[in-house]
Amino acid sequence: MASGPAQPAALSAEQAKVVLAEVIQAFAAPENAVRMEEARDNACNDMGKMLQFVLPVATQIQQEVLKAYGFSCDGEGVLKFARLVKSYEAQDPEIASLSGKLKALFLPPMTLPPHGPGLGGSVAAS
């Protein structure tokens, strides 16, 4: 049997909440906040540039926390954690809320361009 870090899939919902909170706190650390701000400035609200500049920094910040919980110290570890969190979201509103907060830290709000019926006019009520 190989020794090493614990299997990440073994995180309970309660442990996942703790780790999510730690990851969110890591984004608030002054040095990480500066890194994220610089990445956002470089991206200029361009989705392609967000993927190029912001996502790698966000991934690195998450990796620093996740490696202490047995996740691999690469993008795959972050993806495994994201999948684990997603599996708990439907069962646990607190995890869903924390997950939403985490995503909001590095994903821009998605705004759809206005289109479709009802633009510029009032909708008739029947």
Side-chain angles (χ1 to χ4, degrees), residues 22-37:
E22 278 189 41
V23 170
I24 291 168
Q25 281 182 312
F27 277 89
E31 66 275 9
N32 290 335
V34 168
R35 290 170 64 200
M36 286 297 291
E37 190 175 333

Side-chain angles (χ1 to χ4, degrees), residues 9-24:
L11 285 182
S12 68
E14 288 305 311
Q15 290 168 318
K17 286 180 202 175
V18 170
V19 179
L20 268 169
E22 278 189 41
V23 170
I24 291 168

Side-chain angles (χ1 to χ4, degrees), residues 23 26-27 55 57-67 78 81-82 102 106:
V23 170
F27 277 89
L55 199 57
V57 173
T59 300
Q60 288 169 0
I61 292 169
Q62 292 177 77
Q63 285 168 354
E64 288 301 309
V65 175
L66 296 177
K67 68 182 179 185
V78 172
F81 179 68
L102 175 59
F106 59 89

Side-chain angles (χ1 to χ4, degrees), residues 20-93:
L20 268 169
E22 278 189 41
V23 170
I24 291 168
Q25 281 182 312
F27 277 89
E31 66 275 9
N32 290 335
V34 168
R35 290 170 64 200
M36 286 297 291
E37 190 175 333
E38 287 172 355
R40 280 192 200 95
D41 288 348
N42 288 331
C44 305
N45 282 335
D46 176 288
M47 185 51 88
K49 289 183 179 177
M50 290 294 258
L51 293 172
Q52 183 180 355
F53 296 113
V54 178
L55 199 57
V57 173
T59 300
Q60 288 169 0
I61 292 169
Q62 292 177 77
Q63 285 168 354
E64 288 301 309
V65 175
L66 296 177
K67 68 182 179 185
Y69 292 91
F71 290 88
S72 59
C73 198
D74 57 14
E76 187 62 29
V78 172
L79 289 174
K80 284 181 181 172
F81 179 68
R83 281 188 222 110
L84 179 71
V85 167
K86 187 83 175 151
S87 73
Y88 285 131
E89 282 180 0
Q91 308 160 31
D92 193 315

